Amino acid sequence: MDDDMIAAAADFVEELMELGVVGNIDEGLEIVCNPLMFVVPKPGQEGQWRKISDALRGGQNSCVGQDPVFLPRIAHILDQMYTNGYSAVVDLSK
């Protein structure tokens, strides 16, 4: 990576740290795996970079348990939100 790419990647990691997504490890612990990160230029956006992290080759899959997430259907959500039924209003005026 050149200096611009390294700066973009560093800014990205700092932003993740500010958001609390990543942080320093506690004393006595060790990093087991770390995703590979690289940046590519955003098409049509001079000086802007897209950050890409390769968690598969970084080893995250070996550290993550099998915990599938099932996304609910909208009908199930509406039925739970409005237990007495629901209605809609349509405005056809221009």
Side-chain angles (χ1 to χ4, degrees):
M1 289 197 295
D2 65 20
D3 290 340
D4 289 339
M5 292 177 170
I6 292 170
D11 290 344
F12 178 66
V13 172
E14 286 176 15
E15 182 180 353
L16 292 176
M17 291 182 81
E18 288 174 7
L19 293 170
V21 175
V22 296
N24 296 323
I25 62 172
D26 294 331
E27 189 174 329
L29 298 178
E30 65 178 307
I31 296 175
V32 177
C33 56
N34 193 24
L36 305 171
M37 185 192 319
F38 57 98
V39 294
V40 295
K42 287 185 176 181
Q45 298 182 28
E46 185 75 27
Q48 297 294 313
W49 301 94
R50 178 167 288 125
K51 291 77 170 175
I52 301 172
S53 180
D54 188 352
L56 175 64
R57 289 187 181 86
Q60 277 70 23
N61 286 354
S62 64
C63 298
V64 177
Q66 295 293 327
D67 187 16
V69 175
F70 298 101
L71 300 176
R73 295 179 183 263
I74 189 70
H76 298 157
I77 294 172
L78 289 175
D79 289 343
Q80 291 178 9
M81 288 176 61
Y82 305 103
T83 56
N84 294 326
Y86 47 90
S87 60
V89 176
V90 179
D91 182 0
L92 299 176
S93 64
K94 282 191 169 187

